[in-house]
Amino acid sequence: MLNKGITLRGIEVFEALARSGSVAQAAEATGLSQPAVSQQMRNLEAAIGAELVDHTRRPMRLTQAGQMFLRRAEQALSELRQAQSEVTVMDLAHLEALNLGVIDDFDDDLTPRLATILGDSLTGCRFRMITAGSNELAQALRDQSLHMALSAQIDGPIDGALEYPLARDPFILVTPAGAPYAPEALLRDSTELPFLRYAADQLIARQIEAHLTAQGHNLRARFEIGSHLALMAMVARGIGWAMTTPLGYMRAARFHDRLAAHPLPAPVGAPVPARTISLFAGAEWSGPVPRDIAQTMRQLMQTHMIAPAIAQLPWLADGFHLLEAEDPIGE
């Protein structure tokens, strides 16, 4: 039995504080006030009987006891979050076939997790999952080779399809770590650092170009890169800077020590532009199946993408978040 005072909330607060080293950032990541974060930590340390964090240092550092506890705590939280996701998809055993497309943003982490959850639920079902870009997924929905697709919001209508919005994914700027240029200077193209574009045939490229054009930015066209990871790798090597989204940035964790992420400047009072990540279900699909898959995906995104991103970059909290919709768009 756990000691009195060891709570799930306290462990979540400790995990957020361990990642950020800041009470303020842990408060933003967990949705608590700063005094509440401090109280949760005092309660947890009292229950364990050891100091987990060196409170005298800024940013805060874990003690040896804190490092040991964090390893076990992260494993426990991961199992609990996975269990929460798995029970969302209750009973898909009645399905005979499901063809699902997934945007390539989720390749490294979320797609394998979702495939495992669905594979365990779809007993007796012929299950096919493919990974592709948003435009390819849209076309596959139109020609009915896919039943559903997890994708960025698609250009143009898909007859009869229902859209279940999942998350808002705002645009951000990413530069090499230590680059001495303000975002405004980069957008004016007044630095020596060139702009690295996504390949022109990608949906995200068109969305970025539409924003740049609307704001009157005319950036040199020198590089076009076809994948998130390749784009972030070039930025990490100091070749240029890029516009991407938190999902694209978080895929490039291996380069984070050589990257710096910045908010995209926006006119006063105007929202930062963003793309919407949604589940699209073909005309013949409605009811609990797409709703359950959408809710499972929301939980996976919150646990494995959104919460870690906000813990690392607290300024993302206002723009990078889940979208809860009672009814799908198009219903």
Side-chain angles (χ1 to χ4, degrees), residues 301-326:
M301 291 181 71
Q302 178 64 36
T303 299
H304 300 287
M305 288 288 190
I306 296 175
I310 292 173
Q312 183 177 341
L313 304 169
W315 48 265
L316 284 173
D318 289 340
F320 188 35
H321 54 76
L322 296 180
L323 298 172
E324 297 289 348
E326 294 184 3

Side-chain angles (χ1 to χ4, degrees), residues 49-66:
E51 283 196 352
L52 303 177
V53 176
D54 184 349
H55 299 271
T56 65
R57 304 186 66 173
R58 296 293 183 273
M60 292 182 182
R61 300 279 184 86
L62 296 184
T63 63
Q64 185 174 3

Side-chain angles (χ1 to χ4, degrees), residues 30 36 57 59 96 109 193 255 269 277 296:
T30 58
R57 304 186 66 173
E96 295 181 359
D109 197 352
L193 202 62
F255 303 122
I277 306 300
T296 295

